């Protein structure tokens, strides 16, 4: 089922999420719905707060980026209760977007490599080192689970320059090809 994506201004996007505990009723269906929603919106990652759920769950399928970033080839993950446990000192600055910010893209500095621990869709504990753009996607989605968003990394002047876009996103008037749930007016 395609779910609406919560956009900038929705309080759930600023909440610190709760861990997913066993058993979690409907988890497999929720994961399927998140992938369906992400694909329909042509995204590469989606965190549970972006569909209104304040839980530590995210889905990623970055394979569509593999022509430009080889490390994204076949990079499809379900991450339950992810925790980034190491970040490299090396950083990169690249442009990012977010399904909760339709039409807004900004350059963000992130660690080039990370190590992340999480449970997969089967509940198996994973401990993985991730590099390059795939690491960027994981960092971006994990931040959603702690109430942070990519715009928190940009300078005040860049936020000011994007003020009109941010207002349009909050009002639900930003141009978008997928279902959204904007802030209540």
């Amino acid at each position: 089922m395609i779910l609406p994506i919560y956009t900038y201004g929705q309080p759930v996007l600023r909440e610190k999420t709760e861990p997913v505990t066993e058993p979690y009723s409907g988890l497999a269906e929720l994961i399927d719905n998140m992938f369906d929603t992400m694909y329909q919106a042509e995204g590469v990652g989606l965190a549970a707060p972006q569909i209104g759920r304040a839980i530590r769950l995210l889905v990623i399928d970055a394979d569509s980026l593999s022509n430009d970033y080889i490390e994204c080839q076949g990079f499809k993950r379900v991450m339950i209760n992810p925790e980034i446990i190491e970040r490299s000192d090396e950083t990169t600055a690249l442009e990012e977007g977010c399904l909760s910010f339709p039409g807004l893209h900004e350059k963000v500095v992130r660690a080039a490599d990370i190590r992340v621990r999480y449970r997969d869709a089967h509940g198996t504990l994973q401990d993985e080192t991730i590099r390059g753009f795939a690491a960027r996607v994981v960092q971006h989605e994990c931040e959603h689970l702690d109430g942070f968003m990519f715009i928190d990394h940009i300078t005040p002047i860049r936020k000011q320059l994007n003020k009109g876009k941010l207002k349009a996103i909050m009002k639900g008037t930003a141009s978008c090809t997928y279902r959204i749930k904007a802030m209540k007016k």
Side-chain angles (χ1 to χ4, degrees):
M1 173 177 26
I2 308 296
L3 305 169
I5 295 175
Y6 284 53
T7 57
Y8 178 64
Q10 284 283 2
V12 70
L13 295 176
R14 289 295 187 186
E15 291 179 28
K16 185 161 175 53
T17 57
E18 295 294 323
V20 175
T21 56
E22 295 286 332
Y24 190 91
S25 179
L27 182 61
E29 181 181 7
L30 178 60
I31 290 167
D32 288 344
N33 290 344
M34 288 177 68
F35 273 116
D36 290 346
T37 300
M38 181 186 73
Y39 291 140
Q40 192 273 334
E42 298 181 4
V44 296
L46 187 68
Q50 293 179 276
I51 56 156
R53 302 282 187 99
I55 59 172
R56 297 190 73 75
L57 170 66
L58 60 89
V59 298
I60 294 171
D61 188 346
D63 190 63
S64 63
L65 303 173
S66 63
N67 286 340
D68 295 321
Y69 304 101
I70 192 69
E71 65 274 15
C72 292
Q73 186 172 6
F75 192 84
K76 182 176 181 179
R77 304 284 190 279
V78 171
M79 294 186 173
I80 301 168
N81 301 327
E83 177 186 7
I84 297 173
I85 53 178
E86 287 179 30
R87 296 175 195 266
S88 65
D89 290 335
E90 180 188 351
T91 60
T92 59
L94 292 171
E95 192 170 275
E96 291 184 21
C98 181
L99 296 176
S100 293
F101 292 83
L104 185 64
H105 297 86
E106 284 291 331
K107 196 171 274 195
V108 176
V109 176
R110 295 201 186 272
D113 306 319
I114 61 169
R115 186 171 151 218
V116 63
R117 190 175 294 142
Y118 62 95
R119 294 206 176 269
D120 64 20
H122 306 290
T124 305
L125 186 63
Q126 303 291 330
D127 190 320
E128 184 176 12
T129 298
I130 303 170
R131 304 188 187 297
F133 206 87
R136 174 173 294 276
V137 175
V138 172
Q139 290 172 82
H140 176 111
E141 298 307 329
C142 281
E143 282 185 350
H144 278 295
L145 304 180
D146 292 320
F148 294 102
M149 294 176 272
F150 85 110
I151 63 158
D152 297 331
H153 293 280
I154 66 175
T155 64
I157 190 73
R158 292 300 309 160
K159 283 183 188 168
Q160 186 64 32
L161 291 170
N162 284 301
K163 192 174 183 178
K165 286 182 182 179
L166 292 171
K167 281 185 179 181
I169 292 167
M170 286 176 68
K171 291 179 181 177
T173 59
S175 179
C176 189
T177 59
Y178 47 89
R179 280 181 54 209
I180 63 169
K181 185 168 176 74
M183 188 174 91
K184 292 181 181 178
K185 297 172 184 166

